[in-house]
Amino acid sequence: MRETFFYNQLRVTQEVISSRVSDFCVGDYTFEVGGKKKGKKQISEVPNGYVVRDEIEYATNQIIPLWAFGLMY
């Protein structure tokens, strides 16, 4: 459900493709979508890699709250 929400919000203005390393690639950026405890292990070697977490309020370093992508629509 998280991945579907992320995809649906970004596809309106961006080309979203699947990634071999994580969930999605959008331009030069790679996104791994997960829950509150999702870590950066999967994208640790990826330049411009970000974790998109559900159930958090604020962004820190390479972690972005999932709700923030709802503002893009």
Side-chain angles (χ1 to χ4, degrees):
M1 196 178 315
R2 294 175 181 120
E3 287 85 355
T4 301
F5 174 80
F6 179 85
Y7 175 77
N8 280 329
Q9 297 308 303
L10 264 69
R11 71 178 176 84
V12 176
T13 60
Q14 304 293 319
E15 180 181 2
V16 182
I17 58 174
S18 62
S19 170
R20 293 180 185 189
V21 179
S22 65
D23 292 323
F24 301 103
C25 283
V26 180
D28 294 333
Y29 301 97
T30 302
F31 295 95
E32 178 64 28
V33 180
K36 185 177 182 178
K37 297 184 181 190
K38 183 68 174 180
K40 293 189 248 181
K41 181 180 178 183
Q42 199 166 349
I43 60 160
S44 62
E45 302 294 322
V46 179
N48 294 326
Y50 293 89
V51 173
V52 179
R53 286 186 185 164
D54 196 9
E55 301 177 35
I56 63 170
E57 294 183 35
Y58 304 103
T60 58
N61 294 334
Q62 293 176 303
I63 301 171
I64 305 169
L66 182 60
W67 64 261
F69 291 93
L71 302 173
M72 295 184 69
Y73 195 81

